[in-house]
Amino acid sequence: MSDTPFGFGLPPEEPDDGDEGKKKDQESGGGQGPANPFGFGGLPGAGGFGGGPGGPGADNPFAAMFGSLNPNDLGAAFQQLGQMLSYEGGPVNWDMAKQIARQTVSQGSPDGTKDTSVGPAERKAVEEAVRLADLWLDDATSLPSGAGSAVAWSRAEWVEATLPAWKELVDPVAERVGTAMGDVLPEEMQAMAGPLIGMMRSMGGAMFGTQIGQAVGVLAGEVVGSSDIGLPLGPAGKAALLPVNIETFGKDLSVPQEEVRLYLALREAAHQRLFAHVPWLRSHLFGAVDGYARGIKVDTAKLEDVVGQFDPQNPEQLQEALQQGMFQPEDTPEQKVALARLETALALVEGWVDAVVHAAAKPRLSSADALRETLRRRRASGGPAEQTFATLIGLELRPRRLRDASRLWASLTDARGVDGRDALWHHPDMLPTATDLDDPDGFVHREQIDFSELDKMLGEAADKPDLKKDEGEGENKGDGAE
């Protein structure tokens, strides 16, 4: 479980040059990404008011707006503030999130690459790669194709297409935090402090929206498809790849670009098959995140102290309190169960994709082993996906047992064949558990329950729905004859 106060940013990493480095880091805005709990450094127009990203206004929304009393910018600043305080939607200001994500994307990624529109040649290359990948996967899995179409996205298009999934993932946590912020005041004070509470909730929606927009914008610069993190973030049935990020990903691998694209297309198409033909899987994963949110405990004592002393003219006070970990998740039984459930499910999904893609690619791509190991390390070491989720919802969305799960699925293929292996996805109760990952041989060679006779009986009963009724009427007739 993440040690990060969820929803309010990752703490900056320890600088190499000790205290002096800390001082420099603070002066420069703390480095890349949402390093402060509010993340207001990415507000549209902040560069004009506070000196640009990392400047004087990066850590304070009001300094970002009013740090420079330029008459030409003052109207825009008041308009931005009005939007923040007038927000009356859910726990996250998603309009602001999208705006800031798009702005983050337009600024380019840390490696210097900029987002570009996808051209016809790149779209055709992606479509052909996904089509070929689906043909190869037909021999490696019994699940049919799940991609009704293949698309090539720019980073901005990825942001637009995945925001609905982010909303579903983040809203439960943001709602829980927002409720806690309103509940800390006694009832008699809540009535008196209605306008203040409303302002705090509007600010809270803006805070979450700003931070989520920054995190999603940064992630858009690194993902290569719609399923990098093991969750279906894009629209159902649409296999998507990001050509500009694929080029960056394969730049230092000494592997032909065509092979990199095809291998990533295999992974995307395999994810699409799994989520399309295992209908309960999406709700199972998203439900685990929601279960985690329900188990969140907020340090209300610390929150009460801050709210009781809150000075609307000193917003830095609330920021400092949040940086001290006011919303540090407690290690509750509910969270342990939800987290274990999610981690195991992610490992099984990623392990299955890893095993199936390797089976399809190994005979056909000379670079299959190298690409497999690169992607395993990328997922297991905690890349952009883990950092983003740790920032947004306090979860390290890492398939910690990816290799164990992959070995288990490969052993199942040897022992039961492709059909027997994939049949385990019919119901969540049939899947391996965390304990089974500890003893894969025991699970692989465990006696399988034969449901064929039961299925046959149920099928026959379904074909004869009036059988019992007819038998009952016959018995009644017999009784009457006697």
Side-chain angles (χ1 to χ4, degrees), residues 74-86:
L74 198 56
F78 276 114
Q79 182 180 9
Q80 181 69 40
L81 179 61
Q83 291 175 354
M84 291 168 53
L85 298 182
S86 64

Side-chain angles (χ1 to χ4, degrees), residues 300-322:
T300 55
K302 185 181 292 185
L303 187 57
E304 287 173 0
D305 291 341
V306 173
V307 172
Q309 303 172 17
F310 177 66
D311 180 3
Q313 296 181 353
N314 185 18
E316 293 88 352
Q317 185 183 67
L318 182 59
Q319 176 177 344
E320 291 170 2
L322 295 174

Side-chain angles (χ1 to χ4, degrees), residues 60-82:
N60 184 340
F62 298 99
M65 292 177 184
F66 306 115
S68 170
L69 297 179
N70 186 333
N72 296 326
D73 295 332
L74 198 56
F78 276 114
Q79 182 180 9
Q80 181 69 40
L81 179 61

Side-chain angles (χ1 to χ4, degrees), residues 4-303:
T4 308
F6 60 88
F8 295 97
L10 289 169
E13 295 182 359
E14 188 72 21
D16 294 334
D17 48 353
D19 293 338
E20 186 65 25
K22 289 183 180 179
K23 182 178 179 181
K24 291 179 182 178
D25 188 58
Q26 291 169 355
E27 292 174 351
S28 64
Q32 175 209 347
N36 67 72
F38 294 172
F40 280 100
L43 283 172
F49 310 129
D59 292 332
N60 184 340
F62 298 99
M65 292 177 184
F66 306 115
S68 170
L69 297 179
N70 186 333
N72 296 326
D73 295 332
L74 198 56
F78 276 114
Q79 182 180 9
Q80 181 69 40
L81 179 61
Q83 291 175 354
M84 291 168 53
L85 298 182
S86 64
Y87 175 71
E88 297 180 352
V92 178
N93 189 330
W94 286 102
D95 291 337
M96 181 174 286
K98 180 167 73 171
Q99 183 181 2
I100 292 174
R102 292 292 298 265
Q103 183 191 37
T104 304
V105 164
S106 68
Q107 293 172 350
S109 54
D111 60 11
T113 60
K114 297 284 188 178
D115 191 26
T116 58
S117 299
V118 179
E122 291 173 316
R123 294 187 186 280
K124 182 178 179 182
V126 167
E127 291 171 358
E128 291 178 350
V130 172
R131 188 181 303 115
L132 181 57
D134 256 337
L135 289 174
W136 289 4
L137 288 172
D138 285 339
D139 297 331
T141 174
S142 62
L143 299 181
S145 175
S149 61
V151 294
W153 282 342
S154 66
R155 294 168 179 173
E157 288 173 322
W158 182 89
V159 168
E160 294 279 353
T162 61
L163 272 179
W166 291 114
K167 186 177 189 298
E168 187 174 351
L169 287 165
V170 175
D171 269 352
V173 179
E175 181 68 40
R176 180 71 184 87
V177 173
T179 300
M181 292 179 71
D183 288 346
V184 296
L185 290 177
E187 292 185 8
E188 61 273 14
M189 290 186 63
Q190 289 187 24
M192 298 173 58
L196 176 59
I197 293 176
M199 185 186 73
M200 290 178 64
R201 287 178 176 169
S202 295
M203 290 288 289
M207 293 170 195
F208 268 109
T210 300
Q211 187 182 16
I212 291 166
Q214 289 176 331
V216 171
V218 170
L219 187 58
E222 303 187 28
V223 294
V224 294
S226 71
S227 56
D228 275 27
I229 63 175
L231 293 174
L233 295 179
K238 186 172 288 188
L241 295 175
L242 282 72
V244 63
N245 291 354
I246 290 176
E247 182 179 355
T248 301
F249 173 81
K251 187 178 297 182
D252 300 322
L253 295 182
S254 301
V255 175
Q257 189 72 15
E258 294 75 15
E259 289 197 21
V260 174
R261 184 192 303 114
L262 185 51
Y263 194 88
L264 296 175
L266 281 166
R267 289 184 53 83
E268 178 72 12
H271 277 104
Q272 292 292 334
R273 290 187 180 221
L274 192 59
F275 285 108
H277 300 291
V278 184
W280 54 265
L281 184 56
R282 187 183 190 278
S283 60
H284 181 75
L285 291 169
F286 280 60
V289 175
D290 184 65
Y292 177 87
R294 287 196 301 269
I296 285 175
K297 303 297 182 184
V298 180
D299 189 346
T300 55
K302 185 181 292 185
L303 187 57

Side-chain angles (χ1 to χ4, degrees), residues 393-415:
I393 55 179
L395 287 175
E396 293 182 351
L397 200 65
R398 185 196 305 182
R400 300 176 185 277
R401 310 196 64 182
L402 168 61
R403 295 177 188 272
D404 293 337
S406 182
R407 281 193 294 268
L408 187 146
W409 288 118
S411 297
L412 282 168
T413 307
D414 295 337

Side-chain angles (χ1 to χ4, degrees), residues 222 378-388:
E222 303 187 28
R378 187 173 188 251
R379 285 295 283 122
S381 63
E386 179 190 345
Q387 294 169 8
T388 298

